[in-house]
Amino acid sequence: MLTQTPAWVDLAEHATLVRSLHLSRIFAQDPERGERDQLSAAGITLNLARQRILPDTWNYLYALADQQQLAVSIEQLFRGVTINHTEGRAALHTALRAQTADELSDASQWTDIQAQLTRMQGLVDKIRAGQWRGFSGRAITDVVNLGVGGSDLGPNLAVSALQHLKDTHIGIHYLSSMDGAKTASLLKQLNPHTTLFVFASKTFTTVDTLANAQTALEWLIAHGASKQLAYQQHFIGVSANVAKMSEFGIHLDHQLQFWDWVGGRYSLWSTIGITLAIAIGMQGFRQLLAGANQMDQHFRYSAWADNMPVRLALATVWNRNFLGIHGKAILPYDARLALLPAYLTQLIMESNGKSVDRAGQPLNYATCPIVWGEVGPNAQHAFYQLLHQGTEAVMCDFIAPLTRPDIVQASDPATREALAYQHQLALANLLAQSTVLMLGDAALATPPSDAHKHYAGNQPSNTILLDQLDASSLGALIALYEHQTFVEAMLWNINPFDQWGVELGKQIAVHTLQAMRTGTVQDFDSATRAVLSLLKQSGENQP
Ligand code: F6P
């Protein structure tokens, strides 16, 4: 077991010393650590100095990376080895953002990827040029992505983060949840003559997305589209399952493909990104890929000490397994990144929420922390109270762009000046919060006498700064987290690329829905039975 290995035992022993040190003392004893623990690549700067990590600790952590043969795993990832062994697949999302064929072990993959990008460009250009017509011959004004999980979160985040680069009047919308409540209100605002749906699903069997697509189809037909034109002119399909796209009725020319070796939560880089390409153009989409590729190169070829994803992952493992920290908060200080926490909760927790090792043996150590987050300035007025004075230690990621060139888009100098002030205000708050979390009362000239005003501090954090928020740096930022998540999994000896934990609930839901529709309640546990009986009485959900 990992916990008995030399590197782990050394870390455990070293941790007994570090646990007794407060970050204020660590900084006082090592005043240059701020400059030393800062590294940059791909338009991103990472500062790790606020971690409860001593220079020696890093060496012990690098020894863990070596012991776990991290270098071998990284090569296996990039070379397309079947590292997702429980599903018998490679995890080759990095291939989707390769910039040259030489980067790939299999040349045919390069050809396939480029062919799909060309197809995607054809559809994107047609839509953006107003040449894609709805059933009554009018140009498309709105595109709705129907997808959930990885088929929603990536493009949704990217379109929101790059809203300042959107250069089309076409409205882009996302429907993911199966309940149909948002579907109902969005459809009320849209014009069926000019709305195009992107049915985005790796498997093309996800009930959530099928349900939304079915509702969209009924809506089109109810508003005058023939069944044939509804399918033909109002749906694009994006999937790894070509047969299912055809079975659903997506026109062959409107099918975009990706492959089994792309995990759902790693699919933004594939044709799943079509809504982003519609929003910012194909060139912008390619910049996203290029930025992610820069991070790939950095990750693949940098020594551990210079390697941002590796050092972030080592810090997570240190916090989780040796300092006993259970929570990780993602705190972007830029409202355009509001969807980043949601995106990362899937990426990190669906990947690393595991309790058996690669051989299926139960683990005797902790894995993935609980990840959540919110736009930092808003979270300051919500849950920072717990970060500062609660009983839980939490590791935080503070994220912001260093510069805001988008401000020049504001029409007049006075507004531009006011916006520049707001950017400074946000950065000052980011630094202030991470300082207080680190130092606690030591940030004050005089320590408080009232216990209610006491700040314990000693909460570790990372500061992640983008040179600016653009397609390239966003690609690099997401790739940074992807690789960090991968490294954590390699250190914990788990498979980050499967997600068996989501399957059982789906199966039971099929059975429950059937019972609901037939009114049979007796087969269930009493808690389910009680709710089903209530539903039966209300007359809701009966066929
Ligand atoms: O249920 C989990 C999951 O399989 C995710 O991994 C995936 O991103 C999501 O569902 C959507 O799946 P699909 O793209 O096949 O519809």
Side-chain angles (χ1 to χ4, degrees):
M1 228 345 136
L2 180 59
T3 48
Q4 261 111 52
T5 59
W8 195 277
V9 170
D10 286 350
L11 276 161
E13 195 186 318
H14 175 70
T16 56
L17 161 77
V18 181
R19 273 199 295 270
S20 66
L21 295 176
H22 193 282
L23 264 170
S24 57
R25 185 150 151 228
I26 293 176
F27 261 78
Q29 288 176 349
D30 180 12
E32 308 303 324
R33 56 188 281 119
E35 285 79 17
R36 197 183 55 238
D37 280 336
Q38 182 158 292
L39 35 160
S40 300
I44 295 182
T45 299
L46 163 67
N47 193 299
L48 293 141
R50 296 194 204 277
Q51 289 296 335
R52 292 167 60 189
I53 294 181
L54 308 178
D56 269 0
T57 321
W58 283 118
N59 293 328
Y60 287 119
L61 289 167
Y62 299 148
L64 177 68
D66 289 335
Q67 175 192 279
Q68 296 304 96
Q69 304 208 327
L70 179 60
V72 174
S73 300
I74 293 174
E75 269 318 288
Q76 289 179 337
L77 174 77
F78 281 94
R79 286 180 192 277
V81 173
T82 309
I83 48 178
N84 179 0
H85 65 294
T86 60
E87 294 182 316
R89 290 175 196 158
L92 249 187
H93 42 283
T94 53
L96 299 169
R97 53 219 194 196
Q99 299 294 294
T100 62
D102 304 345
E103 289 175 40
L104 304 184
S105 314
D106 178 350
S108 70
Q109 277 169 349
W110 172 262
T111 316
D112 290 348
I113 293 164
Q114 297 314 309
Q116 287 302 317
L117 283 174
T118 307
R119 267 176 86 85
M120 174 164 149
Q121 171 136 24
L123 300 182
V124 166
D125 288 349
K126 194 170 169 189
I127 296 163
R128 282 166 56 90
Q131 288 161 2
W132 184 303
R133 307 275 160 177
F135 66 87
S136 59
R138 291 165 62 183
I140 292 304
T141 57
D142 291 90
V143 176
V144 185
N145 188 80
L146 308 174
V148 70
S151 299
D152 163 69
L153 292 163
N156 200 352
L157 159 66
V159 167
S160 170
L162 303 177
Q163 54 195 259
H164 55 291
L165 301 179
K166 186 166 181 272
D167 61 353
T168 170
H169 64 278
I170 295 170
I172 312 283
H173 315 269
Y174 292 87
L175 290 177
S176 55
S177 178
M178 64 172 73
D179 57 86
K182 185 175 168 194
T183 311
S185 56
L186 180 64
L187 292 182
K188 264 195 253 164
Q189 296 159 35
L190 296 175
N191 182 343
H193 294 259
T194 61
T195 299
L196 174 66
F197 295 93
V198 174
F199 188 149
S201 172
K202 178 178 171 184
T203 55
F204 234 73
T205 56
T206 304
V207 289
D208 321 48
T209 307
L210 279 164
N212 275 320
Q214 198 55 46
T215 302
L217 206 55
E218 300 296 349
W219 176 73
L220 289 165
I221 294 167
H223 287 83
S226 66
K227 207 169 173 187
Q228 194 199 1
L229 283 180
Y231 279 112
Q232 202 164 308
Q233 291 308 109
H234 291 268
F235 275 94
I236 287 175
V238 187
S239 185
N241 191 341
V242 174
K244 283 275 175 203
M245 280 198 279
S246 297
E247 201 181 293
F248 178 81
I250 307 273
H251 193 279
L252 273 183
D253 293 345
H254 304 157
Q255 295 183 5
L256 292 171
Q257 203 190 330
F258 62 109
W259 304 272
D260 245 8
W261 41 262
V262 181
R265 55 193 171 274
Y266 302 86
S267 63
L268 162 65
W269 325 102
S270 72
T271 44
I272 284 285
I274 185 171
T275 43
L276 171 65
I278 294 168
I280 65 170
M282 204 58 196
Q283 206 189 341
F285 182 72
R286 286 181 189 276
Q287 282 165 6
L288 179 93
L289 301 185
N293 178 262
Q294 278 182 43
M295 185 55 71
D296 293 342
Q297 304 300 319
H298 164 79
F299 173 54
R300 190 172 182 180
Y301 297 114
S302 301
W304 300 155
D306 303 321
N307 198 314
M308 294 202 287
V310 170
R311 289 190 67 179
L312 280 168
L314 289 170
T316 304
V317 169
W318 172 251
N319 287 326
R320 186 77 184 98
N321 300 102
F322 299 97
L323 301 184
I325 298 178
H326 305 128
K328 179 178 236 172
I330 308 293
L331 305 166
Y333 275 67
D334 186 312
R336 292 170 297 179
L337 291 171
L339 297 180
L340 184 66
Y343 178 85
L344 293 181
T345 54
Q346 188 204 21
L347 173 64
I348 302 171
M349 295 203 283
E350 198 174 67
S351 297
N352 287 348
K354 310 283 164 66
S355 55
V356 294
D357 69 11
R358 290 181 64 81
Q361 293 301 315
L363 304 177
N364 66 352
Y365 48 90
T367 58
C368 192
I370 295 168
V371 181
W372 90 106
E374 174 59 274
V375 171
N378 294 342
Q380 287 181 196
H381 300 278
F383 60 75
Y384 274 37
Q385 169 63 36
L386 178 144
L387 301 183
H388 288 299
Q389 292 188 320
T391 51
E392 279 295 324
V394 176
M395 47 186 138
C396 298
D397 280 359
F398 289 92
I399 304 160
L402 263 180
T403 63
R404 288 275 313 274
D406 57 285
I407 287 176
V408 297
Q409 290 173 359
S411 55
D412 61 282
T415 308
R416 286 201 286 272
E417 204 174 310
L419 287 171
Y421 164 77
Q422 286 197 261
H423 177 225
Q424 278 184 343
L425 183 66
L427 289 180
N429 271 270
L430 178 158
L431 285 170
Q433 293 293 338
S434 55
T435 304
V436 175
L437 284 172
M438 169 178 103
L439 297 177
D441 289 344
L444 296 163
T446 348
S449 50
D450 180 348
H452 294 101
K453 296 179 182 166
H454 166 64
Y455 291 81
N458 213 22
Q459 298 267 40
S461 66
N462 297 308
T463 306
I464 301 173
L465 298 167
L466 279 56
D467 291 349
Q468 59 178 313
L469 180 50
D470 58 18
S472 170
S473 67
L474 180 70
L477 179 69
I478 297 172
L480 173 67
Y481 275 103
E482 283 180 354
H483 294 319
Q484 178 189 170
T485 304
F486 171 72
V487 175
E488 288 164 7
M490 296 304 103
L491 298 172
W492 284 320
N493 193 27
I494 58 177
N495 178 6
F497 296 116
D498 62 13
Q499 56 285 314
W500 297 106
V502 302
E503 293 306 321
L504 183 58
K506 293 180 192 174
Q507 287 167 26
I508 304 286
V510 172
H511 179 49
T512 314
L513 179 64
Q514 213 175 13
M516 215 179 250
R517 292 180 71 87
T518 53
T520 355
V521 299
Q522 59 278 15
D523 294 353
F524 294 88
D525 63 84
S526 61
T528 309
R529 222 166 42 223
V531 177
L532 286 177
S533 306
L534 206 62
L535 269 170
K536 200 172 171 183
Q537 280 160 28
S538 75
E540 268 286 317
N541 289 297
Q542 298 304 314

